[in-house]
Amino acid sequence: MPLWLNDLLVKLVPSLVVAVVTAWATVRLSLRRFRTERWWERKADAYSRIVESLYHAKQYYDHESRKWWNEQESPSRDPSKVESDEDRRRRAEFSEAFHELAKATHIGAYIICDEAAKVLDDLKKRKGLEWDEGPPGDVYDDAATGYAEALHKLRAIAKRDLGVP
């Protein structure tokens, strides 16, 4: 082998090896970071949907409670109870929230942390007031309190899990 070729290989091969290893490591690290960021985004989206669902459920029960107590204070209202647009909107939001929470509870710790899944499971298993244990207004108030407590706990868990201050 000619001397010039030997010198060229001695100078070129180490540079090529370093360039290839550096490129390979950079690509691997970039892919890992991409996957981590995508997973964080999915987790943040899941928490966001759950928190929003808890909020809508709480708002529904608060609204129903106020409506029931107002009806008790003003018995002169028409007993046919014509449903308003706001009532329909709140009922639709509650229905959507209920299904979202059921989905999150069943999926559980696949996306959210175990602690958050436990809060949702505890909410599902919560023994609140039954309809025969008191007036409907108290049942609604009790349900709203349960959702408010779960919302408070889940917000703190989500912040901690996502590393958000």
Side-chain angles (χ1 to χ4, degrees), residues 57-73 77 87 90 131 135-145:
K58 179 195 171 306
Q59 289 297 99
Y60 171 78
Y61 283 119
D62 281 341
H63 174 75
E64 290 298 312
S65 173
R66 280 191 308 274
K67 191 169 80 173
W68 191 86
W69 289 113
N70 286 341
E71 288 171 359
Q72 300 313 303
E73 292 174 5
R77 286 188 161 180
D87 290 339
R90 287 188 186 275
W131 289 102
D138 287 347
V139 176
Y140 290 133
D141 286 339
D142 183 60
T145 299

Side-chain angles (χ1 to χ4, degrees), residues 103-116:
K103 183 171 84 173
T105 302
H106 286 95
I107 292 172
Y110 171 66
I111 294 178
I112 60 177
C113 72
D114 291 336
E115 187 180 4

Side-chain angles (χ1 to χ4, degrees), residues 25-136:
T26 302
V27 168
R28 297 281 296 168
L29 292 173
S30 295
L31 285 173
R32 181 181 295 163
R33 182 175 178 186
F34 174 75
R35 282 189 212 109
T36 302
E37 287 175 1
R38 287 290 295 153
W39 189 251
W40 187 92
E41 289 171 5
R42 289 189 69 186
K43 191 179 272 202
D45 184 51
Y47 279 122
S48 177
R49 286 192 323 266
I50 292 167
V51 166
E52 188 174 333
S53 296
L54 288 170
Y55 170 78
H56 285 304
K58 179 195 171 306
Q59 289 297 99
Y60 171 78
Y61 283 119
D62 281 341
H63 174 75
E64 290 298 312
S65 173
R66 280 191 308 274
K67 191 169 80 173
W68 191 86
W69 289 113
N70 286 341
E71 288 171 359
Q72 300 313 303
E73 292 174 5
S74 305
S76 62
R77 286 188 161 180
D78 183 11
S80 65
K81 297 181 184 177
V82 176
E83 189 175 53
S84 71
D85 288 340
E86 182 181 356
D87 290 339
R88 281 190 289 280
R89 180 183 60 79
R90 287 188 186 275
R91 184 168 283 113
E93 285 176 350
F94 174 74
S95 178
E96 187 177 322
F98 183 80
H99 292 296
E100 183 69 37
L101 290 172
K103 183 171 84 173
T105 302
H106 286 95
I107 292 172
Y110 171 66
I111 294 178
I112 60 177
C113 72
D114 291 336
E115 187 180 4
K118 183 174 179 348
V119 168
L120 293 177
D121 194 46
D122 290 347
L123 176 64
K124 182 180 174 185
K125 293 177 181 176
R126 181 179 179 275
K127 296 292 182 201
L129 286 177
E130 296 295 328
W131 289 102
D132 59 351
E133 294 178 338

